[in-house]
Amino acid sequence: MIEIISADRCVACNQCVSVCPTNVFDRVEDGIPVIARQSDCQTCFMCELYCPVDALYVAPDSEQLTGITEAELEEQELLGGYREKVGWGKGRQPVASHEFMVKLAARAGF
Amino acid sequence: MNQPALKEGLKWTADVLVIGGGPAGTWAALTAAAKGSKVILADKGYCGSSGATAPSGTGVWYVKPEAELREAAKASRYAMGGKLAEHRWMDRVLDRTYENMNRLGVSGYPFPVDEAGNPYRRGLQGPEYMRLMRKLVKKAGVTILDHSPVLQLLADEHGVAGAAGVRTQSGEAWSVQAGAVVIATGGCAFLSKALGCNVLTGDGYLFAAEAGASLSGMEFSNAYAICPTFSSVTKTAYYSYASFYYEDGSVVEGAGSKRGRSVIARNLLAGRQVFAKLDGADAELQPLLRTAQTNFFLPFDRRGINPFKDVFPVTLRLEGTVRGTGGIRITDESCGTGVPGLYAAGDAATRELICGGFTGGGSHNAAWAMSSGSFAGEGAAAYAARLGRHSYHRAPVGLSSSPLVHGEVKAGAAARTAEYVEAVQAEVKPYDINLFRTEQGLTSSLGRLDGLWTEQRSREIRLTPEGVKAREAQAMTATARWMYNSALARTETRGMHKREDFQGSDDTQHHRLISGGLDQVWVKTEEVAKESVLL
């Protein structure tokens, strides 16, 4: 479930409010968005992927809150990890074009 | 019933309205726009991130137009699907998928290249694919309404003429009057939190049935995915490299990602937790798996689990008709539904035509979405063009089976809806009702589901975000009833439909089951096109 919006990183672009398929976030006048309907989160990680400044963290647990803190995320360098792997963001190569896709297909058939 | 939806709120007109912005909806919008239609696409969430495709990677049934390869591709799921697929439809879908995938390459999808430098087009990464589809749809001049779920279709005596709903972020009611409507709302996974599936609640089935359309293959609706108990990431294919264990480390005999899923289910039913470990993937394969399905490893990495070395508890998460094959019955080659002006595409439509009763999961569903989306988009555009300017002078009314009203949400309404959702889930999630089906189990479940439908039937639904959830609960209830009535009628085991009391397949039941109706659910048989036995 979505657990963290980093106030330090968030630039209030409200991209997460737009892209969340289940409308979990709310815009805030003159502020950063808030997690308004946390239990509606389907743990699809799309908000994290679309966040241009790596300010969001979706915890892996889809059933309950883990209670992870922003300090722990910074320490474990977990913010932005998914976006980096997908290859989104300036100067990155999208994983969609990775040669391993072809290699896996040759070996596994999928 | 004269609904007030058109009297207040935002109003637009279009030639074609597409409901749903996943792969099928975006392809429908693109092709309709290319035929010169003015198109509006309304998504319940956000076109680009909504639905089962956007968050994950998928194979695509992309096969070069060489006779031998095509024949092998068609034969691959034919027998497993209970021989319910049709030759002609498989050919059409293979042709259109080939064409559309090549078009995606031209439009900028970053396909990987093989050693010879040829683009590899048998897979798509969801985030990349759907971000590109949104861009292409916008470039084609389509108006996108995000966060705009539909609550009901609109129609007059000539046929379907639009839809009405609510914008969840502003609370405004909206309606679109259109010459033709394409339903591309996906399947139904009953809010099970399978990856990306919580927007897929069978809404389109309910809308179609309220307009008089029927469903097909709703007995093929019991797909379950292997998934870590704590996670939403459903990617059963990777478990072909898994071994399954009990808590004491002994092997679960017969458990597997394909036919062995039943063994896992029976253990879970008996209260024995099953654990998995991907120990069948060697060191060389591991980085390939990691790269090809980035999000598969995300939950493990974040919990400090190495799935190649550590065991983790697994469950079977319901994917319903998302990976099943049942859906709205298709009555012609343009993906019409038999109701004038109404078309269906993607997982909202039956996929029996290309994979029978075996899972549509992965490559077939992806191919079906882009092909049926294109067929439906073209069909809807042609229909709207025939109506011409007449389409703007109609006075359609809403088709919702429950009264839709403006006004404040009543206290307790949300809690009530949540109760209905839980009650439906209690009928469709249990393996001993839905996976291992029996006459007794289905009949007693239907008794409760019929009661749930009757209770919800006369509920006033508010044109608010809360009302959207109430309609979802109704759609899931209706879906479960078509599923179980069809499952009861098929007294044999075929495709994914398993009857404990009829374990073999019965040649005299080599037919489709069509279903429909709201207060009175009906099921009847339909012959499979003759040429389908050629294989």
Side-chain angles (χ1 to χ4, degrees):
Chain A
M1 248 181 282
I2 175 76
E3 292 202 29
I4 303 278
I5 302 179
S6 164
D8 288 346
R9 294 180 179 224
C10 180
V11 292
C13 71
N14 287 310
Q15 183 78 336
C16 54
V17 182
S18 296
V19 304
C20 174
T22 55
N23 200 29
V24 163
F25 305 93
D26 269 347
R27 244 168 262 267
V28 173
E29 192 86 18
D30 300 321
I32 65 168
V34 291
I35 302 168
R37 286 163 295 275
Q38 196 167 27
S39 62
D40 283 348
C41 174
Q42 59 170 351
T43 317
C44 70
F45 305 98
M46 294 307 284
C47 57
E48 225 191 280
L49 193 52
Y50 272 85
C51 177
V53 292
D54 298 331
L56 300 179
Y57 182 74
V58 178
D61 203 309
S62 57
E63 306 296 331
Q64 55 205 357
L65 295 176
T66 63
I68 195 159
T69 63
E70 198 174 332
E72 287 168 313
L73 291 178
E74 292 286 358
E75 194 189 297
Q76 297 170 48
E77 295 179 9
L78 284 170
L79 284 166
Y82 182 41
R83 196 159 144 267
E84 189 183 355
K85 285 205 172 77
V86 173
W88 280 14
K90 262 199 186 130
R92 289 177 182 153
Q93 187 69 21
V95 74
S97 64
H98 202 289
E99 57 167 358
F100 281 6
M101 303 284 168
V102 191
K103 286 193 172 156
L104 180 65
R107 261 202 70 166
F110 57 76
Chain B
M1 203 180 305
N2 195 351
Q3 303 288 358
L6 288 174
K7 293 181 191 150
E8 294 175 46
L10 305 161
K11 289 175 202 169
W12 293 280
T13 54
D15 298 317
V16 174
L17 169 67
V18 178
I19 309 174
T26 48
W27 278 104
L30 266 188
T31 45
K35 295 281 175 196
S37 285
K38 180 184 170 193
V39 183
I40 295 178
L41 182 155
D43 193 284
K44 190 185 206 175
Y46 178 84
C47 171
S49 67
S50 272
T53 298
S56 57
T58 180
V60 179
W61 207 32
Y62 175 85
V63 184
K64 287 198 175 120
E66 291 166 22
E68 224 170 279
L69 295 174
R70 287 280 172 99
E71 287 309 312
K74 288 194 287 181
S76 70
R77 286 190 192 187
Y78 185 71
M80 285 188 289
K83 302 183 180 178
L84 294 174
E86 294 188 13
H87 219 57
R88 183 174 52 93
W89 274 95
M90 289 192 277
D91 287 335
R92 298 182 73 209
V93 167
L94 282 165
D95 283 345
R96 188 57 74 99
T97 300
Y98 188 74
E99 189 185 310
N100 284 355
M101 287 295 281
N102 293 342
R103 205 174 136 196
L104 276 179
V106 174
S107 302
Y109 183 89
F111 284 110
V113 289
D114 64 18
E115 281 167 0
N118 299 312
Y120 174 80
R121 293 185 176 148
R122 297 188 63 182
L124 288 165
Q125 292 293 311
E128 203 70 43
Y129 173 33
M130 292 316 300
R131 186 171 67 168
L132 175 62
M133 288 306 290
R134 181 182 178 92
K135 196 174 118 188
L136 297 177
V137 161
K138 287 182 92 166
K139 208 169 133 191
V142 173
T143 302
I144 297 176
L145 306 177
D146 293 310
H147 299 289
S148 302
V150 165
L151 283 163
Q152 63 175 345
L153 294 180
L154 307 175
D156 63 11
E157 69 275 22
H158 303 295
V160 170
V166 63
R167 307 202 78 182
T168 45
Q169 296 195 336
S170 67
E172 294 161 291
W174 65 270
S175 66
V176 170
Q177 198 172 318
V181 173
V182 178
I183 293 181
T185 47
C188 182
F190 297 96
L191 297 174
S192 70
K193 288 194 177 172
L195 192 63
C197 289
N198 268 24
V199 291
L200 311 173
T201 46
D203 311 359
Y205 303 155
L206 179 60
F207 303 150
E210 286 172 344
S214 46
L215 297 118
S216 180
M218 290 306 283
E219 69 276 32
F220 307 120
S221 46
N222 51 350
Y224 287 85
I226 303 176
C227 173
T229 50
F230 53 82
S231 168
S232 58
V233 179
T234 40
K235 186 73 200 172
T236 302
Y238 271 26
Y239 291 91
S240 58
Y241 297 105
S243 304
F244 297 89
Y245 302 93
Y246 293 114
E247 194 162 21
D248 63 9
S250 60
V251 171
V252 181
E253 293 297 338
S257 64
K258 296 189 178 100
R259 292 178 198 282
R261 243 179 280 187
S262 297
V263 177
I264 299 173
R266 289 193 200 279
N267 274 289
L268 295 174
L269 269 176
R272 290 193 81 175
Q273 182 58 54
V274 173
F275 297 81
K277 178 168 36 167
L278 303 182
D279 45 13
D282 60 37
E284 209 178 299
L285 189 63
Q286 290 173 17
L288 305 185
L289 291 169
R290 277 192 170 276
T291 303
Q293 291 287 347
T294 311
N295 64 5
F296 181 89
F297 295 92
L298 204 55
F300 296 117
D301 292 346
R302 290 184 174 182
R303 281 178 77 111
I305 296 169
N306 177 349
F308 298 114
K309 290 206 171 89
D310 308 328
V311 292
F312 53 90
V314 292
T315 188
L316 293 171
R317 215 176 263 281
L318 181 63
E319 293 182 308
T321 59
V322 175
R323 268 173 222 266
T325 59
I328 298 167
R329 180 184 170 224
I330 296 299
T331 59
D332 62 44
E333 294 209 337
S334 60
C335 289
T337 62
V339 175
L342 188 64
Y343 297 79
D347 290 354
T350 180
R351 283 136 286 155
E352 292 162 293
L353 298 166
I354 62 160
C355 40
F358 185 68
T359 179
S363 61
H364 285 62
N365 275 353
W368 174 252
M370 64 175 69
S371 303
S372 63
S374 302
F375 301 147
E378 287 162 1
Y383 184 87
R386 283 199 299 275
L387 287 180
R389 59 190 171 81
H390 299 299
S391 67
Y392 295 125
H393 302 293
R394 298 162 77 179
V397 296
L399 296 180
S400 170
S401 45
S402 291
L404 291 187
V405 295
H406 288 276
E408 291 297 304
V409 179
K410 281 189 190 157
R416 202 67 199 282
T417 298
E419 281 170 24
Y420 289 132
V421 169
E422 271 179 47
V424 176
Q425 288 178 329
E427 303 301 331
V428 293
K429 280 184 173 178
Y431 314 130
D432 52 356
I433 307 177
N434 196 6
L435 184 56
F436 307 119
R437 294 166 165 177
T438 61
E439 182 180 345
Q440 200 193 351
L442 294 167
T443 306
S444 94
S445 182
L446 273 170
R448 296 184 292 272
L449 287 164
D450 288 346
L452 278 172
W453 173 258
T454 309
E455 268 185 59
Q456 291 174 81
R457 172 73 163 81
S458 49
R459 257 189 126 191
E460 270 192 355
I461 306 259
R462 304 280 158 170
L463 277 155
T464 61
E466 206 42 64
V468 174
K469 294 196 172 185
R471 283 288 273 168
E472 288 178 348
Q474 288 187 336
M476 288 189 283
T477 308
T479 301
R481 291 168 71 229
W482 294 313
M483 278 166 53
Y484 284 180
N485 276 289
S486 302
L488 205 50
R490 195 176 278 289
T491 50
E492 61 160 353
T493 290
R494 188 180 292 267
M496 68 170 56
H497 165 71
K498 292 183 187 69
R499 282 287 295 260
E500 289 282 274
D501 42 358
F502 296 96
Q503 297 195 352
S505 75
D506 168 8
D507 286 347
T508 66
Q509 295 187 53
H510 177 232
H511 49 227
R512 293 224 171 79
L513 290 178
I514 309 301
S515 56
L518 294 161
D519 294 331
Q520 288 296 322
V521 171
W522 52 264
V523 178
K524 62 183 185 194
T525 61
E526 181 183 64
E527 252 188 87
V528 180
K530 285 277 189 294
E531 100 267 294
S532 66
V533 288
L534 284 178
L535 281 177

